[in-house]
Amino acid sequence: MKKFVLFTCCLLLYSCQYFSREVPSKDALVKQQLDAINWKEVDEFPSTSACDSLTDKSVHNQCFLNFMTAEIQRRLSVDTLTVKYAQLDTIAVKVTVFRDARLKFEPQFPENTAYDKAMMDSIIQSKLTDFPIVSPALKRGIPVNVEFTLPVILNVMH
């Protein structure tokens, strides 16, 4: 019986060490979580009603990019831009989807472009008003800004 009591006392003394572990600070835990997050990627890509039902992430992302490219192409392929700049067949458009679902379109022109960039930007901005609703990208369930560049092929009639 004495051995059992002695064994139990030793067991209790050693087990107390498990409870005396240092608890990490709140700041250390937050830093650890922030370091674990990949800030270069979003958890959910922006979306439109046409792509919302898709569950596969890569298919959903491609659906969104295809929708954006097709919609921009459709709007820019009409009249003024293709008539005024007939030799232009492709334009890169930087798209920013803000966390409040606003969109910003910025044409990207090569340095050696001889076009009137201000005029082209004005035409592009006027064509891309009233764009369909786009849901913002999400990171850990929180809406975030995201930007990407799309190559837009213009339907040039020669």
Side-chain angles (χ1 to χ4, degrees), residues 26-41:
K26 179 176 134 183
D27 293 337
L29 288 173
V30 168
K31 183 178 179 343
Q32 181 182 8
Q33 285 296 314
L34 289 175
D35 290 344
I37 296 172
N38 180 354
W39 292 104
K40 303 246 185 251
E41 294 181 14

Side-chain angles (χ1 to χ4, degrees), residues 47-106:
S47 188
T48 65
S49 59
C51 304
D52 283 342
S53 62
L54 300 171
T55 55
D56 182 84
K57 187 176 180 177
S58 63
V59 173
H60 179 270
N61 296 355
Q62 194 58 52
C63 173
F64 176 74
L65 292 174
N66 290 344
F67 169 82
M68 293 296 289
T69 302
E71 187 65 21
I72 293 170
Q73 277 178 217
R74 184 183 68 75
R75 289 165 176 255
L76 295 183
S77 294
V78 182
D79 62 49
T80 313
L81 198 59
T82 56
V83 170
K84 192 162 183 74
Y85 301 101
Q87 68 280 16
L88 186 65
D89 63 348
T90 305
I91 187 168
V93 178
K94 181 172 143 185
V95 180
T96 304
V97 181
F98 293 98
R99 64 177 149 257
D100 62 1
R102 286 181 299 114
L103 296 172
K104 180 180 177 184
F105 301 98
E106 299 174 82

Side-chain angles (χ1 to χ4, degrees), residues 2-42:
K2 285 184 181 182
K3 288 183 181 181
F4 177 73
V5 172
L6 182 61
F7 175 74
T8 306
C9 288
C10 287
L11 186 63
L12 285 173
L13 287 174
Y14 285 114
S15 66
C16 288
Q17 291 177 359
Y18 291 111
F19 297 113
S20 65
R21 283 191 223 165
E22 189 175 314
V23 176
S25 72
K26 179 176 134 183
D27 293 337
L29 288 173
V30 168
K31 183 178 179 343
Q32 181 182 8
Q33 285 296 314
L34 289 175
D35 290 344
I37 296 172
N38 180 354
W39 292 104
K40 303 246 185 251
E41 294 181 14
V42 294

